[in-house]
């Protein structure tokens, strides 16, 4: 997967906020099983409404995905996009 410049800008904009960066790090550690929104919120010390706002921002940027599971929403890292972002930095941006 190769990222377009607009997608890279959106991803970096999402990650430029401390709570969202912490959320992504928590979700990456959780792996493919993901985490419920409430658990992510607890892990980073955010209120549930604040967490919902930030998780939605990460999802719009393509860095996470969500899936309803009964009464919970499970968030998962979007590893192909995260990897493509790293590849952009290492290859497309920095030629190496």
């Amino acid at each position: 997967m190769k990222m377009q410049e607009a997608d890279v800008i959106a991803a970096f904009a999402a990650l430029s906020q401390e709570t969202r960066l912490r959320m992504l790090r928590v979700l990456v550690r959780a792996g493919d099983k993901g985490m419920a929104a409430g658990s992510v919120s607890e892990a980073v010390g955010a209120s549930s409404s604040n967490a919902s706002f930030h998780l939605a921002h990460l999802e719009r940027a393509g860095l996470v995905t969500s899936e309803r599971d009964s009464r919970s929403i499970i968030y998962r890292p979007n590893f192909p996009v995260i990897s493509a972002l790293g590849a952009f930095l290492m290859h497309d941006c920095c030629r190496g």
Side-chain angles (χ1 to χ4, degrees), residues 6-77:
D7 299 324
V8 171
I9 291 168
F12 281 127
L15 294 174
S16 69
Q17 202 283 335
E18 182 180 357
T19 301
R20 290 191 288 267
L21 180 59
R22 282 191 274 153
M23 288 177 158
L24 185 63
R25 292 174 73 194
V26 164
L27 287 168
V28 165
R29 285 192 296 269
D32 289 330
K33 68 179 180 169
M35 291 176 73
S39 297
V40 175
S41 137
E42 286 177 28
V44 301
S47 69
S48 59
S49 61
N50 195 356
S52 294
F53 169 79
H54 289 301
L55 287 165
H57 201 89
L58 289 170
E59 189 169 22
R60 280 192 304 275
L63 295 166
V64 302
T65 61
S66 68
E67 176 182 3
R68 181 164 290 284
D69 180 17
S70 186
R71 295 177 56 188
S72 297
I73 298 177
I74 306 300
Y75 287 89
R76 293 179 179 86

Side-chain angles (χ1 to χ4, degrees), residues 78-96:
N78 189 342
F79 286 118
V81 170
I82 294 167
S83 294
L85 185 59
F88 174 84
L89 285 175
M90 297 305 296
H91 185 271
D92 293 340
C93 177
C94 305
R95 304 272 183 221

